[in-house]
Amino acid sequence: MASRPEELRTTTPAPWPLPRFGLGCAPIGDLYGSVDPGTAVATVHAAIAKGATLLDTAPKYGDGLSERRVGDALASVDRERVQISTKVGWLVGEGNGPSPAFGRDDVLRSLESSMRRLGVDHFDLVHVHDPDDHLDETARHTLPALIRLREEGVVGAIGAGMNNHVPLAELVRRTDLDVVLVAGRYTLLEQPALADLLPLCAERGVGVIAAGVFNSGLLANPRPDAPYNYHPVPDAVLERALAIRDVCVRYGVPLRAAALRFPLGHPAVVSVLVGAATPEEIADNLDLARHPVPTEMWADLRTAGLLDPLAPVP
């Protein structure tokens, strides 16, 4: 596997502190629809210009397409300006869709392929990707392989990324993680990760990256045909999202602004990922993330039963 020259391996920059916002690069891997290659590159550049310098990608995003497009964007960017996060656990690029691959050799093979697609020789952060059904193998083989690469300086920090907060908490208990990425389970709409994952991470000094903060689109624009966790939205969930929006409107706060700001109120959350497929989309979201949110608004959401009373707010 390619790696940094021996004399530089211990000087790989750690990813801390991470920027408050990063770019989720699944959309430029054609997650929701075809994206023009030039638009994909411009989206990455727009995110970096706005300070969202954590670029989160994965082989699983578009069968390597997202990584290739991030790599194209990096060709004209100072590598030290950005933090590159990718993932292991699924081998791609053979035309048959992703296949689970959580062994030590799989990790090396996956990262070597990611290096080629991204045009880099080290990673600031590597997650084990969706190991929900492979927790034992992840604990016994995948993470020890990543720990070794962390010791060698090829990887700056290691983590795990899932949509389910319960197995993430189990991995935090069992292994030596630096960070976790939790998608959709700590948002303005719902906070189940507050029961176990977030306090555990705060106790153990594990950073939390919050992703899916719009719950795959519902909090961006609540409506009957909006997606919720990549599926049609149930009526009760839509009703809750609309009620949250109504409270925000009373305070003149765009719903997206509140959704982007909310996770950062928890002391364990170190960064929020914002997915985007165009430069305009990422610029608009990052501008909204700076919108002021009155303290009284969070209090009203609690009073209305729309926010967990134990959830810290910004």
Side-chain angles (χ1 to χ4, degrees), residues 109-122:
R109 180 181 171 193
S110 179
L111 289 183
E112 187 174 53
S113 296
S114 291
M115 282 181 171
R116 288 196 298 268
R117 287 189 287 264
L118 286 160
V120 301
D121 62 0
H122 69 278

Side-chain angles (χ1 to χ4, degrees), residues 117-132:
R117 287 189 287 264
L118 286 160
V120 301
D121 62 0
H122 69 278
F123 302 97
D124 301 285
L125 176 57
V126 174
H127 294 288
V128 186
H129 198 179
D130 292 340
D132 306 56

Side-chain angles (χ1 to χ4, degrees), residues 297-309:
M297 193 193 84
W298 303 119
D300 276 5
L301 286 169
R302 285 199 177 106
T303 300
L306 297 170
L307 184 61
D308 191 311

Side-chain angles (χ1 to χ4, degrees), residues 18-22 54 207-211 213 263-264 268-273:
L18 291 175
R20 287 169 62 83
F21 294 95
L54 172 63
V208 175
I209 297 173
V213 296
L264 290 166
V269 175
V270 295
S271 192
V272 170
L273 289 181

Side-chain angles (χ1 to χ4, degrees), residues 6 8 18 26 42 51 86 91 96 127-128 134 140 147 156 160 181 185-186 211 221 226 251:
E6 188 67 31
L8 297 179
L18 291 175
T86 194
L91 291 178
N96 299 316
H127 294 288
V128 186
H134 306 274
R140 295 175 182 174
I147 288 170
L181 191 163
R185 304 285 75 78
Y186 192 67
N221 183 14
Y251 284 91

Side-chain angles (χ1 to χ4, degrees), residues 261-287:
R261 291 281 297 278
F262 167 72
L264 290 166
H266 197 287
V269 175
V270 295
S271 192
V272 170
L273 289 181
V274 185
T278 68
E280 295 78 14
E281 184 181 2
I282 188 61
D284 182 48
N285 278 325
L286 292 175
D287 285 343

Side-chain angles (χ1 to χ4, degrees), residues 79-289:
R79 172 67 176 87
E80 301 307 314
R81 287 186 62 196
V82 297
Q83 296 87 15
I84 304 299
S85 169
T86 194
K87 303 177 182 72
V88 298
W90 301 85
L91 291 178
V92 301
E94 299 177 358
N96 299 316
S99 57
F102 291 87
R104 176 188 177 277
D105 290 344
D106 297 326
V107 169
L108 300 180
R109 180 181 171 193
S110 179
L111 289 183
E112 187 174 53
S113 296
S114 291
M115 282 181 171
R116 288 196 298 268
R117 287 189 287 264
L118 286 160
V120 301
D121 62 0
H122 69 278
F123 302 97
D124 301 285
L125 176 57
V126 174
H127 294 288
V128 186
H129 198 179
D130 292 340
D132 306 56
D133 299 324
H134 306 274
L135 292 186
D136 284 341
E137 191 173 4
T138 294
R140 295 175 182 174
H141 302 293
T142 319
L143 285 170
L146 288 176
I147 288 170
R148 176 65 182 271
L149 293 172
R150 183 178 62 186
E151 292 169 349
E152 293 176 349
V154 178
V155 172
I158 62 174
M162 293 188 237
N163 296 308
N164 190 338
H165 61 102
V166 176
L168 269 180
E170 181 177 344
L171 283 178
V172 171
R173 292 186 189 98
R174 294 176 60 181
T175 66
D176 179 25
L177 296 178
D178 300 304
V179 65
V180 295
L181 191 163
V182 59
R185 304 285 75 78
Y186 192 67
T187 73
L188 184 59
L189 182 68
E190 53 192 22
Q191 303 91 45
L194 191 62
D196 52 4
L197 179 65
L198 269 65
L200 182 63
C201 288
E203 175 188 336
R204 300 199 175 195
V206 176
V208 175
I209 297 173
V213 296
F214 297 148
N215 287 100
S216 77
L218 178 61
L219 285 185
N221 183 14
R223 62 191 191 280
D225 62 341
Y228 165 69
N229 297 338
Y230 309 104
H231 296 287
V233 57
D235 290 342
V237 177
L238 176 60
E239 182 179 347
R240 182 179 181 86
L242 290 171
I244 293 171
R245 185 191 65 183
D246 290 346
V247 174
C248 292
V249 167
R250 289 206 301 270
Y251 284 91
V253 176
L255 178 59
R256 281 186 295 147
L260 288 163
R261 291 281 297 278
F262 167 72
L264 290 166
H266 197 287
V269 175
V270 295
S271 192
V272 170
L273 289 181
V274 185
T278 68
E280 295 78 14
E281 184 181 2
I282 188 61
D284 182 48
N285 278 325
L286 292 175
D287 285 343
L288 278 174

